[in-house]
Amino acid sequence: MQVIIGIAIFIVLLTVIIYKVNERFEKREFFVLISLIIISTIAFLFYEYKKENFLPNLFIEKYEKTYNQKILSLDFELLNNKVVSSKDEFIYKFIYTINKDNSEYLCSLNGVKINKIKSEYIFIDFENLKEECHKN
């Protein structure tokens, strides 16, 4: 939310500067302003998408490395954002499909804890989590 407000203030300041320099606001300046708004909106949405999917992608890498199984599809839910907003501890529920013994299984891991230490993400007790799988 603060990012959107910051971008809006920046755009308003840029508009005022353009108007003060040229003493007018013509079509060209309007197109520059609109393109700036569109580009900044797309960049912000892309950043949020990458940020939201970073930890699930990290889970896929960790799972495939630990269990030597490829995840075919993944759905996830961040559990600890409903009560406490934390930037260092994340608790996820992952539901995914894997291909094992030429059969497709629907599996889930509940309560996957991920801690952030500086710029590194650590999975807490990952090998001892109880994986529940059902054959499709």
Side-chain angles (χ1 to χ4, degrees):
M1 184 63 151
Q2 293 91 355
V3 174
I4 294 173
I5 293 171
I7 290 172
I9 291 171
F10 174 73
I11 291 172
V12 168
L13 287 174
L14 186 66
T15 305
V16 169
I17 290 171
I18 290 173
Y19 181 74
K20 290 291 183 182
V21 168
N22 291 340
E23 294 293 327
R24 61 187 182 276
F25 200 76
E26 294 180 352
K27 241 189 237 186
R28 187 184 74 184
E29 285 86 6
F30 179 73
F31 286 130
V32 168
L33 178 64
I34 293 298
S35 63
L36 183 64
I37 291 171
I38 291 171
I39 290 171
S40 62
T41 303
I42 290 171
F44 178 73
L45 292 175
F46 180 73
Y47 170 76
E48 284 295 314
Y49 174 77
K50 293 296 258 184
K51 183 179 167 186
E52 180 181 311
N53 289 324
F54 178 74
L55 290 176
N57 290 337
L58 203 60
F59 168 77
I60 291 173
E61 292 175 15
K62 177 75 172 175
Y63 184 87
E64 290 176 354
K65 185 178 174 185
T66 303
Y67 294 109
N68 291 327
Q69 291 288 329
K70 182 154 179 68
I71 293 179
L72 304 174
S73 62
L74 176 71
D75 189 29
F76 60 91
E77 180 182 1
L78 182 59
L79 299 176
N80 68 331
N81 70 338
K82 297 172 185 165
V83 179
V84 176
S85 179
S86 175
K87 293 183 180 183
D88 297 330
E89 183 176 323
F90 307 94
I91 302 172
Y92 275 93
K93 176 183 180 181
F94 292 105
I95 300 172
Y96 50 93
T97 57
I98 58 172
N99 194 2
K100 188 190 305 184
D101 302 327
N102 294 326
S103 297
E104 197 169 285
Y105 287 88
L106 178 66
C107 301
S108 67
L109 270 176
N110 199 2
V112 178
K113 292 183 181 178
I114 306 170
N115 282 354
K116 180 180 177 186
I117 302 172
K118 291 194 179 182
S119 63
E120 190 174 342
Y121 292 89
I122 309 294
F123 286 85
I124 305 299
D125 205 24
F126 186 76
E127 289 78 15
N128 296 328
L129 291 173
K130 186 177 180 211
E131 178 182 38
E132 297 178 15
C133 292
H134 304 284
K135 189 174 183 178
N136 275 348

